[in-house]
Amino acid sequence: MIVLKIANSSEVVASKVGKFIEFLTPDSVDQSTVEDQVIKKLVENLAAEGIKGEIAAVQGIDLNGNDLNLRDGMKVRKHTSF
């Protein structure tokens, strides 16, 4: 299993749509938007290589160095099989 933490979603959104619009959107929307785009590209690239599997965007998990912390209310926001 691979865990990917995106740490700069607000900056990515700001660079794509501009600082003003990024200022108007909550960080949770920025995070979801970037995660969805990353998932889409990962699925396209992995499927093109013949790799089969599943990918999920999960809320309630924190990755801090070597520690993986689970919070109450953990849920799968998006799940895709490829």
Side-chain angles (χ1 to χ4, degrees):
M1 181 175 289
I2 297 169
V3 176
L4 171 67
K5 177 181 179 180
I6 300 171
N8 66 337
S9 54
S10 291
E11 292 87 359
V12 171
V13 170
S15 73
K16 300 292 183 191
V17 298
K19 295 261 185 218
F20 178 71
I21 294 175
E22 190 277 329
F23 177 75
L24 297 175
T25 61
D27 286 343
S28 61
V29 172
D30 294 348
Q31 185 74 25
S32 297
T33 301
V34 172
E35 286 175 352
D36 290 347
Q37 288 302 310
V38 168
I39 287 171
K40 179 181 173 186
K41 290 296 185 182
L42 279 172
V43 167
E44 288 173 3
N45 290 325
L46 293 172
E49 294 295 326
I51 298 172
K52 295 181 181 179
E54 299 176 51
I55 190 167
V58 180
Q59 295 173 325
I61 294 178
D62 290 320
L63 181 61
N64 298 311
N66 290 333
D67 297 325
L68 186 65
N69 302 313
L70 305 178
R71 296 190 312 246
D72 290 338
M74 186 180 81
K75 73 174 201 167
V76 175
R77 186 182 62 74
K78 181 176 184 162
H79 176 263
T80 303
S81 295
F82 56 93

